[in-house]
Amino acid sequence: MDFDWSNIKVIDGEQFSSDNLDRAKYATYLTSLIKAKGGTDKNNLSNYVLNLDAEWGAGKTYFLKRWSEDLKSNHPVVYIDTWAIDYLESPLMTVLSEIIEQLKSQTDRADTPKAKAKFKEIIKAAAPRVGSGLMKRYLGFDLDVFDSSQTDGANLSNKEIDFSKAGEKVLEIFCKEVTDSKKSVKALKLAIQDWVEYVVDHPVKNMNTITNSYPAFIFIDELDRCKPTYAVEMLEAIKHVFDIPGLVFIVATNTMQLSHTVKAVYGSKFDAEIYLSRFFDNKYYLRSKVSEELLLNHHSKVTYDLKNLVERGIILFPYINFNSKDFLKLCSDVFNEFKIPPRQSIKVLNRIQLVVSTMRGNTTLDMPLLLCLCTFMEMGQNKLESAIRLFKTAVSSEESMIYHALGAIKFDFSISSFENRKIYDHISDQELIYESSNNGAPAKRNSINQELTLNDYLLNYKRQTTLYGYSGIGYHNEIQKLIETNRRSSSQSNNRSLIDKLKTKRIHLMFYIFNNDSNFDYYQELVEMSANLD
């Protein structure tokens, strides 16, 4: 099966955006893998359990929801949000009831006597020794209904079996009262397998499911967020009760967090990783690379609307004539370099928008600096403080990771001082000496278009400007001297150092022209205030 998630889709009343993380290809690959492992021929089926491992906020639920919804056209599918129902305290009955109830909608014959007979067999297998009074109390009918020779499917026609209500008590009684547990579990497995086969053989008319459209997919989501005892019992149930040929389980977790959950049950010294490995046949890591398209979906057009910014006098440096595409490209590069998951990336973007929307008028915000500090704040207060030390002083071993990571991120520093300064009334339109001079000045002397690393930008330009200050007259006089020196030089190739100095001074001058002179302490305060809003 090939999956196309390029369009918005509504699932169970919730709207899911297009596939901004390009993950449909993973669903295609995993479907092929799982069908190969679980089998498609009902005479040669096996059980298979896959652990889909990803960090919180990496988009596991989106992935599972879209994948499971598309699979329904060809396979029996059950999706279980365990965190939403872990209060039932009965993983076995949770899975059992969801298999029955959800698969009802995937067959046209759920109300036939034959289907009702299959429901009856599952109940009989799940609670073979439950007394009649308790059965009536928790399931709404007498156990005698199963044993009467006069009973047929019609006896249950007006009886709705409420598994969510019955689950906790039935499982408790089942475990306590059944003496021959192996025999009972085997009967339960056969009853479930028979029900799945019935759904496969009798699909809804608009579905493509045919006799050999095995396996049945059971998606288990949010298990790592459940109570520790519930999570462990769910894994035990999947392993020992639902290891049924033709059923495959996809258990989505933050597996590292799940291991902490296991240790909460068995003790801190317990080897949770080895324990978990026995439940899963394979583990698949769901990569969480952030895309520009994902950020665009959560990007406030109002906040960054150029007309709105101009009216407020807010300059987003160096994106003077603001282009969200360029900025979001930088954002995605930063988030991916520092391995920020999608959900946290969106939080960072929202905080930046918050800062922009609450700034006073006639203010210049250094967007690369703001982006980096908000990102470091999301990584932790210690990381933010390390970055501030790096920006203020020389590189130490503690800050070397940040230093090298910033060096790997590039962006275009593109400003036309002559054109861009006309956008904002509070910026002087008076040309400086080097801008108006024809005496050896390079072409397009009032424009800069350079590819910079964040390392260069924040340490070589922003840090120097912030620490040492500058005077407009002093800067343009120095630049004029450099231009004259460059004009007299016979070969630019022999004066690379001179050219680099000229570039540095001209970029510094852009900081001066557009008032990009706020210090690091000011930005740290902005970031820490915005981080308190979660």
Side-chain angles (χ1 to χ4, degrees), residues 264-284:
V265 176
Y266 293 110
S268 59
K269 295 183 179 180
F270 184 75
D271 195 332
E273 288 75 17
I274 292 179
Y275 172 80
L276 288 174
S277 67
R278 73 187 183 93
F279 291 105
F280 305 123
D281 295 299
N282 288 112
K283 180 191 294 184
Y284 190 83

Side-chain angles (χ1 to χ4, degrees), residues 231-269:
V232 170
E233 289 175 14
M234 174 66 81
L235 290 174
E236 294 283 358
I238 292 171
K239 183 68 175 178
H240 299 298
V241 179
F242 293 101
D243 58 334
I244 301 170
L247 263 64
V248 297
F249 283 82
I250 298 92
V251 184
T253 65
N254 178 340
T255 306
M256 181 178 293
Q257 183 61 39
L258 184 60
S259 68
H260 295 322
T261 297
V262 171
K263 288 182 179 180
V265 176
Y266 293 110
S268 59
K269 295 183 179 180

Side-chain angles (χ1 to χ4, degrees), residues 4 61 74 87 96 106 116-117 123 125 139 160 174 208 228 320 332-333 346 358 378 431 517:
D4 180 6
T61 296
N74 290 85
Y87 63 87
L96 180 59
Q106 298 172 46
K116 287 184 170 64
I123 296 300
L139 296 184
E160 289 296 328
F174 173 71
N208 299 325
I320 313 297
S332 63
D333 288 346
I346 293 167
T358 57
E378 184 65 21
E431 287 187 341
D517 59 354

Side-chain angles (χ1 to χ4, degrees), residues 24 30 36 38 43 64 70 88 132 140 146 166 218 280 285 289 364 396 405 440 455 487:
L30 288 174
N43 297 315
L64 260 62
D70 283 0
L88 295 176
S132 179
F146 294 138
I218 316 296
F280 305 123
Y285 294 96
K289 188 174 181 180
T364 299
S396 68
N455 204 334
R487 183 181 64 81

Side-chain angles (χ1 to χ4, degrees), residues 68 71-79 98-110 195 198-200 202-205 207 209 217:
S68 63
L71 279 172
K72 288 179 181 178
S73 63
N74 290 85
H75 295 272
V77 175
V78 175
Y79 173 88
E98 293 295 335
I99 286 176
I100 293 176
E101 293 302 316
Q102 291 192 36
L103 294 189
K104 277 184 180 180
S105 65
Q106 298 172 46
T107 175
D108 279 335
R109 302 186 185 182
W195 170 235
Y198 181 83
V199 174
V200 170
H202 304 92
V204 174
K205 292 178 181 178
M207 293 184 178
T209 312
F217 288 75

Side-chain angles (χ1 to χ4, degrees), residues 42-43 45-46 99 118 122 186-200 214 242-247:
K42 70 177 181 179
N43 297 315
L45 299 172
S46 61
I99 286 176
K118 293 184 182 297
I122 294 175
K186 182 178 180 180
L188 179 59
K189 290 180 179 179
L190 290 173
I192 296 170
Q193 189 173 12
D194 195 33
W195 170 235
V196 172
E197 182 178 347
Y198 181 83
V199 174
V200 170
Y214 284 99
F242 293 101
D243 58 334
I244 301 170
L247 263 64

